[in-house]
Amino acid sequence: MFLDTDAIKRSLAGSGLRSTPQRYAVMAFLMEQAEHPTAAEIFEAVNRVDPRSSRATIYNNLRDLVQAGLVREVAMEGRAARFDAKGTRHHHFICDRCGNVEDLEWYDVPRPAAASLGKRVLRECELIFRGLCTKCAPRRASRQVF
Amino acid sequence: MFLDTDAIKRSLAGSGLRSTPQRYAVMAFLMEQAEHPTAAEIFEAVNRVDPRSSRATIYNNLRDLVQAGLVREVAMEGRAARFDAKGTRHHHFICDRCGNVEDLEWYDVPRPAAASLGKRVLRECELIFRGLCTKCAPRRASRQVF
DNA sequence: TTATATATTAGATATAATCTAAACAGGTTT
DNA sequence: AAACCTGTTTAGATTATATCTAATATATAA
């Protein structure tokens, strides 16, 4: 898969973000990753190439990209948060055993009933499934609970 | 609302957990809370009464209660995780502005398509809505995005 | 090219959660 | 009741994760 350099720059500019080498590297790395790396993993991967980004820069850029709506942050119980370029809409699957986060094809989720919602204003919804990923699932699934 | 002392003890015993004063206090506090407190808040609240629990004990017990399936942990981006006694099934609403976590009435969520799911084994699903809570929502909602 | 607002940096600091090893307390057995 | 065993609690140290600081550098517009 080839990354469109200009497309990244345009989407950064469109959010009022300058395209610096460090910021570009973070965005490009997230877009080419199928997995959902942690900040530490992004830091390491981006610095394996060049230029060297500091830890603070990685965090700053992730914050900016999340605020701009270009990246999604997935909080994990206990472990470090994972990040995900918001290419196409999708749901998430988190493996109980290895902790990996995987994308599931998007489909619409019914809204809560108006009565239950009250005066709250909805902005977005996130659907997370948990269980065992393909690698961690036993050959013959012992029990399909859900 | 009155808490059924024996019911708590029975549910602890049913999960193979001894009912110690500290553990009982954590469970009872979570059950009488409509909000979803952080570990630090639980620590403070439980110790306002007695006996004094150490921070480690709060974390130990929360871990045990989560493992036993009596409590749910809700990871938050950036902030401390929040905890929630699993009384009845429900979804969650998280306020973008004040960070509060509120319960929404449960309703069934459609499973992912078999093709998208592959060999993964599902255990549970979590549906999280985000937006503005009743307190934070403007009088006349400026924009209902979702 | 120059001005200027924005971005980057290393290292210190803050925050959240876990670990450690010793002491303690239920429940059981003798 | 005493001894026993296992699970629990404890204070404080430690780790892990993320943010802050203030000096320096860079991208972009004029």
Side-chain angles (χ1 to χ4, degrees), chain A residues 96 102 120 123 130 146, chain B residues 96 102 111 120 123:
Chain A
D96 290 331
E102 300 172 344
R120 283 178 275 243
R123 184 178 52 81
R130 292 165 195 282
F146 178 88
Chain B
D96 289 331
E102 300 172 343
R111 282 173 61 98
R120 285 178 274 244
R123 182 177 54 80

Side-chain angles (χ1 to χ4, degrees), chain A residues 75 77 93 96 102 104-105 107 110-112 116 120-121 123-126 128-132 144 146, chain B residues 75 77 93 96 102 104-105 107 110-112 116 120-121 123-126 128-132 144 146:
Chain A
E77 289 84 39
F93 177 89
D96 290 331
E102 300 172 344
L104 292 177
E105 208 170 88
Y107 54 91
R111 282 172 61 97
S116 151
R120 283 178 275 243
V121 181
R123 184 178 52 81
E124 66 166 22
C125 88
E126 190 181 355
I128 299 176
F129 290 92
R130 292 165 195 282
L132 297 174
Q144 182 80 357
F146 178 88
Chain B
E77 290 84 39
F93 177 90
D96 289 331
E102 300 172 343
L104 292 177
E105 208 170 85
Y107 55 89
R111 282 173 61 98
S116 149
R120 285 178 274 244
V121 181
R123 182 177 54 80
E124 66 166 21
C125 88
E126 189 181 356
I128 300 177
F129 291 92
R130 292 165 196 279
L132 297 174
Q144 182 79 358
F146 178 84

Side-chain angles (χ1 to χ4, degrees), chain A residues 55-114:
Chain A
R55 198 153 13 91
T57 297
I58 300 292
Y59 278 107
N60 286 343
N61 282 325
L62 287 171
R63 185 200 349 89
D64 295 344
L65 292 169
V66 168
Q67 273 182 357
L70 298 173
V71 165
R72 183 194 310 199
E73 179 174 355
V74 185
M76 309 281 298
E77 289 84 39
R79 319 188 188 195
R82 287 164 179 278
F83 296 87
D84 180 16
K86 273 190 187 170
T88 56
R89 267 189 130 174
H90 54 262
H91 298 306
H92 280 135
F93 177 89
I94 302 180
C95 181
D96 290 331
R97 197 157 152 280
C98 66
N100 266 353
V101 181
E102 300 172 344
D103 290 347
L104 292 177
E105 208 170 88
W106 171 265
Y107 54 91
D108 286 323
V109 174
R111 282 172 61 97

Side-chain angles (χ1 to χ4, degrees), chain A residues 7-81:
Chain A
I8 295 179
K9 291 190 176 170
R10 263 183 278 114
S11 67
L12 289 176
S15 301
L17 296 172
R18 287 182 184 166
S19 173
T20 65
Q22 295 88 339
R23 182 173 290 153
Y24 180 91
V26 168
M27 191 63 202
F29 177 68
L30 280 177
M31 288 181 76
E32 71 192 2
Q33 274 307 88
E35 281 94 34
H36 298 68
T38 63
E41 286 164 354
I42 297 169
F43 173 72
E44 214 196 323
V46 161
N47 279 342
R48 253 201 300 278
V49 197
D50 221 87
R52 312 229 93 90
S53 301
S54 82
R55 198 153 13 91
T57 297
I58 300 292
Y59 278 107
N60 286 343
N61 282 325
L62 287 171
R63 185 200 349 89
D64 295 344
L65 292 169
V66 168
Q67 273 182 357
L70 298 173
V71 165
R72 183 194 310 199
E73 179 174 355
V74 185
M76 309 281 298
E77 289 84 39
R79 319 188 188 195

Side-chain angles (χ1 to χ4, degrees), chain B residues 12-26:
Chain B
L12 289 175
S15 301
L17 295 172
R18 286 184 188 166
S19 173
T20 66
Q22 293 88 340
R23 182 172 290 153
Y24 179 92
V26 169

